[in-house]
Amino acid sequence: MTAPYPFTALVGMADLRLALLLNAVSPAVGGVLVRGEKGTAKSTAVRALAALLPGIDVVAGCRFSCDPAAPDPGCPDGPHEPGAGAVRPARMVELPVGASEDRLVGALDIERALADGVKAFEPGLLADAHRGVLYVDEVNLLHDHLIDLLLDAAAMGASYVEREGVSVRHAARFLLVGTMNPEEGELRPQLLDRFGLTVEVAASRDTDERVEVVRRRLAYDEDPAGFAARWADEEGALRERVAAARALLARVRLGDGALRQIAAVCAAFEVDGMRADIVTARTATALAAWAGRTEVTTEDVRQAALLSLPHRRRRAPFDAPGLDEDKLDEVLRDAGGGDDDPDPGPGPEGRDGQEGQDGQEGPDGPGGPDGPGGGRPPQGAPGAPEQAPPAGPDAPDQRVPEQRPDSDASPGTDAPHGTGDPRGAADGSAAGGAGGERGAVGAAEPFRARRLDVPGLGEGAAGRRSRARTAHGRTTGARRPQGALTKLHLAATVRAAAPHQRDRGRRGPGLVVRRDDLREAVREGREGNLVLFVVDASGSMAARKRMSAVKGAVLSLLLDAYQRRDKVGLITFRGSEAALALPPTSSVDAGAARLERLPTGGRTPLAAGLLKAREVLRIERLRDPSRRPLLVVVTDGRATGGVDPVGRAGRAARLLADDKVASVVVDCESGPVRLGLAGALAQDLRGTPVTLDELRADSVTALVRDARATSTPRIVRKTRRAA
């Protein structure tokens, strides 16, 4: 087995190392979420933590890691008598993103339970992680039903496995550690709140530090065992310090003054609930123990707040996590400490990173997790050094599209049938055309959007948009098992077995069930879709109020896509071409950022936008054939530029219709004179036309109410004729 990369060999990332070590000192802190761009050693750091965790006492032979001093009375392997046990290392259990529900919570043998009355249970990852660490790489890509199970286990400290009235319960208390790349999507707020601390990481821009990272990594890859041996002394020293801090933790005093500061900070930043106060208090206590002190100081409270509050103060999905340090300092001053900050007590280091009592630096040197870097704000928080923008296909595009020579130069340029058509200025396109390219305008206030779904029944990834056959949802039927049986349909199984009881020699009250009798439930729920936005950014859309309203509508649909667990993509068209502004991704935040910077102006190459959408959908269909697309075209329906622009747009729309792509056309036309071109485009797409007003959920409610009011007399008249 390859030796893990040593924790003390990590370069930089002081905040990440400090957060992980605080959880090692006090598991009650509640875990850590590591956010950062790809290739920043997030997973390497988390896996290196396992070697620093103290061993645990377990009941010999217990698959659920019961503590011999206080065994779980409901343990499936019990009952256990209190007594001596065996010591083993704390486990670091990894949960793969594609894991099944049975792999997470365990599998119950339904066949033996029905036929023999035996509870044959195979423990899952939650049982393995009990009293250890549960690590989820790319936690933001985890399926919703697995997230629900994690939330339940984290809240109750136990895992329940239910199968048609047969249940198994076991303890599941673990330290939850997750890593994620925000470019690939955000976490649900409920799961985000379960992580005690959060840390933002980014690759260093310092040349010397990057050189050292590469040098150490190459040395490790060449000889993992030899490299680990060279860091063995530092690892041992850090392991001893963790053990010493754990032993000191029970004697650390959290005074009333520090507690008042914690409450004031959490109230000032308007975090939801009381978990933030509790986590901040536990983190401040762990910081004091880590520094070898028995009193919590104002600096401990400040550092604890920087680690525990940024991810809890997000007010909306598009808000970046972070904390205003100036406001934090002001609140701490106003609240007052009540207790004077004591001098650093005896221990490996003082709070300012002084040398330890033996006169030597800590195992990581002055820049390690216990050095001066440990007290700076998390990377990415307000006040921290600004990092370069992330690279990659999902990174925000900082370039301004060049102005093309065929951009609008006169009021009639963006007319639907070419230059000089007076209809081109019907709703303000003249304003956009006369000035050529316009800068980006802000989006209007987002609203709760109506649900747009794909017709039919899909079988895609679990989500909350369109109807689909899923592993979870309402039961709609039964069928013979396809593979291992996980969702038993009890009534159908009994019906299949009942006619054969006499032939099988049944004599008692039990039912004789054989494998051929088993039926699994067919369930219907909701799936997540690929929502591809095609946004008109031409001169006819350039009127500021209109573009602001359009951006607000698209932002509302992006928020809806975030809540329904969709992938999103963004295509814009203007001038003479269409561009893929955002490749399909789970990062709705990235889509909102691209939309915010979207400039307008130029001609309206509607056909190019539709053909670009067709190409993107073709590629995505090869990558993920089970995820059904929903095309949302945001335009006023005008088409200009080249020969027969309207005809070419119609032909492109019919190609998408032949591909059976579900589509919605958001009609942005406004003003007293309306041409109805967006409605004609919707007919060519065989899609649904909606106006900006009809996108609002409250508008839909009003439409349904009006429809019911007008249809009531007809129902009454039919009833009278029938009488």
Side-chain angles (χ1 to χ4, degrees):
M1 181 177 177
T2 304
Y5 194 91
F7 190 88
T8 49
L10 295 170
V11 178
M13 300 190 298
D15 302 307
L16 170 57
R17 290 185 289 164
L18 178 63
L20 292 173
L21 288 169
L22 291 177
N23 276 276
V25 171
S26 176
V29 166
V32 59
L33 174 65
V34 187
R35 298 166 48 93
E37 59 195 35
K38 51 189 173 292
T40 50
K42 300 185 297 293
S43 301
T44 300
V46 175
R47 293 188 178 102
L49 176 68
L52 303 178
L53 299 177
I56 60 173
D57 293 327
V58 297
V59 174
C62 178
R63 297 175 297 168
F64 302 89
S65 303
C66 282
D67 185 351
D72 180 11
C75 175
D77 284 356
H80 304 300
E81 294 296 331
V87 179
R88 67 160 175 79
R91 290 174 180 157
M92 170 81 75
V93 177
E94 295 192 34
L95 172 61
V97 170
S100 65
E101 178 182 340
D102 285 345
R103 184 71 186 98
L104 177 63
V105 300
L108 189 65
D109 193 330
I110 301 297
E111 299 173 34
R112 292 190 62 190
L114 287 177
D116 305 329
V118 176
K119 289 185 180 180
F121 181 69
E122 183 65 29
L125 295 177
L126 290 180
D128 293 341
H130 179 47
R131 303 176 66 200
V133 178
L134 181 62
Y135 170 49
V136 189
D137 193 13
E138 304 293 351
V139 64
N140 51 327
L141 303 183
L142 203 62
H143 287 302
D144 271 4
H145 69 282
L146 296 181
I147 288 178
D148 292 336
L149 293 169
L150 275 180
L151 289 174
D152 290 342
M156 297 183 295
S159 175
Y160 292 84
V161 183
E162 302 280 349
R163 292 290 189 274
E164 302 295 343
V166 181
S167 64
V168 173
R169 173 209 167 275
H170 65 82
R173 292 183 295 275
F174 48 82
L175 189 69
L176 185 59
V177 179
T179 57
M180 60 174 283
N181 182 352
E183 294 178 0
E184 297 174 338
E186 283 293 344
L187 279 176
R188 286 169 51 184
Q190 296 94 327
L191 183 58
L192 196 62
D193 190 49
R194 290 293 176 185
F195 288 98
L197 311 179
T198 186
V199 177
E200 296 275 345
V201 296
S204 173
R205 307 306 179 199
D206 180 80
T207 302
D208 292 338
E209 196 166 283
R210 295 174 75 98
V211 167
E212 186 62 23
V213 169
V214 175
R215 180 182 291 117
R216 292 187 186 184
R217 186 69 210 191
L218 293 178
Y220 171 77
D221 291 342
E222 183 178 349
D223 183 11
F227 184 83
R230 289 197 293 274
W231 291 87
D233 292 342
E234 288 83 352
E235 289 282 287
L238 191 58
R239 192 178 300 110
E240 290 176 4
R241 182 173 177 184
V242 170
R246 275 198 173 189
L248 182 64
L249 186 65
R251 305 204 309 272
V252 174
R253 176 178 173 268
L254 180 65
D256 290 342
L259 196 56
R260 181 170 293 276
Q261 286 182 320
I262 291 170
V265 167
C266 293
F269 285 101
E270 300 179 351
V271 294
D272 296 329
M274 295 299 298
R275 183 174 285 114
D277 303 63
I278 296 171
V279 171
T280 305
R282 289 171 174 167
T283 306
T285 304
L287 279 163
W290 179 246
R293 290 184 270 102
T294 57
E295 191 83 20
V296 173
T297 68
T298 298
E299 182 60 26
D300 294 331
V301 174
R302 184 181 190 277
Q303 181 63 40
L306 289 172
L307 292 171
S308 63
L309 297 187
H311 61 301
R312 290 187 166 89
R313 65 170 304 272
R314 286 175 59 118
R315 312 310 301 173
F318 304 135
D319 292 344
L323 216 60
D324 185 340
E325 289 193 71
D326 292 335
K327 180 178 178 180
L328 174 61
D329 292 336
E330 181 182 349
V331 173
L332 289 173
R333 284 195 302 269
D334 293 344
D339 306 314
D340 294 333
D341 286 357
D343 294 332
E349 255 183 38
R351 59 185 266 258
D352 295 323
Q354 294 96 333
E355 292 181 358
Q357 54 188 349
D358 57 356
Q360 301 297 323
E361 292 182 347
D364 293 303
D370 42 2
R376 68 188 184 200
Q379 297 168 2
E386 184 175 349
Q387 301 290 342
D394 291 344
D397 194 346
Q398 303 293 337
R399 297 174 298 174
V400 177
E402 62 175 346
Q403 182 175 345
R404 298 192 174 273
D406 60 345
S407 61
D408 287 356
S410 62
T413 312
D414 203 28
H417 296 292
T419 305
D421 195 321
R423 291 179 293 178
D427 57 354
S429 62
E437 179 179 302
R438 285 178 177 266
V441 299
E445 189 70 21
F447 50 82
R448 188 166 66 90
R450 61 178 285 188
R451 188 180 74 207
L452 308 174
D453 54 14
V454 179
L457 193 64
E459 294 184 350
R464 299 178 181 177
R465 184 171 297 278
S466 306
R467 294 174 54 231
R469 295 187 184 91
T470 60
H472 301 269
R474 63 186 182 90
T475 300
T476 59
R479 65 184 179 188
R480 291 182 181 273
Q482 299 178 348
L485 177 65
T486 56
K487 303 292 182 182
L488 178 74
H489 195 297
L490 184 58
T493 299
V494 171
R495 285 197 300 269
H500 308 291
Q501 296 306 295
R502 181 176 297 177
D503 296 340
R504 294 173 182 173
R506 173 184 168 185
R507 295 292 182 267
L511 190 68
V512 181
V513 179
R514 295 180 180 173
R515 183 178 293 274
D516 291 342
D517 301 327
L518 297 176
R519 298 292 184 270
E520 69 178 4
V522 177
R523 300 189 175 185
E524 182 179 311
R526 294 278 174 182
E527 68 177 358
N529 297 110
L530 166 60
V531 182
L532 182 61
F533 293 92
V534 181
V535 180
D536 185 348
S538 65
S540 67
M541 303 284 288
R544 286 193 172 269
K545 287 186 178 179
R546 178 200 281 192
M547 199 60 200
S548 178
V550 168
K551 285 188 175 183
V554 177
L555 194 65
S556 303
L557 292 172
L558 281 169
L559 177 59
D560 183 67
Y562 165 80
Q563 294 169 340
R564 300 190 187 282
R565 318 305 291 170
D566 295 316
K567 290 180 68 174
V568 297
L570 177 63
I571 292 173
T572 62
F573 59 93
R574 56 183 294 274
S576 62
E577 62 182 17
L580 180 60
L582 179 70
T585 175
S586 297
S587 178
V588 178
D589 287 14
R594 304 293 174 87
L595 180 72
E596 190 67 26
R597 289 189 295 272
L598 178 64
T600 57
R603 298 183 184 273
T604 312
L606 178 56
L610 297 175
L611 291 175
K612 185 70 173 178
R614 186 170 185 249
E615 176 65 15
V616 170
L617 293 178
R618 182 188 67 81
I619 295 173
E620 286 302 308
R621 195 175 295 117
L622 296 175
R623 291 176 176 171
D624 190 357
S626 64
R627 188 182 289 269
R628 297 187 295 164
L630 175 64
L631 182 67
V632 179
V633 184
V634 184
T635 180
D636 56 9
R638 299 169 185 271
T640 60
V643 179
D644 189 21
V646 175
R648 286 189 287 112
R651 289 190 291 273
R654 288 189 287 275
L655 287 174
L656 284 162
D658 292 340
D659 292 341
K660 302 189 185 316
V661 175
S663 60
V664 174
V665 178
V666 180
D667 186 356
C668 302
E669 196 172 28
S670 60
V673 180
R674 302 197 181 196
L675 305 178
L677 297 173
L681 176 64
Q683 289 182 357
D684 288 331
L685 284 168
R686 297 176 209 154
T688 303
V690 297
T691 65
L692 287 174
D693 289 338
E694 291 172 348
L695 276 179
R696 296 178 178 269
D698 50 2
S699 298
V700 175
T701 304
L703 288 173
V704 172
R705 187 165 54 246
D706 293 343
R708 286 176 176 171
T710 56
S711 64
T712 302
R714 296 195 188 105
I715 297 174
V716 172
R717 283 196 296 272
K718 288 180 181 178
T719 305
R720 286 175 179 170
R721 283 197 297 270

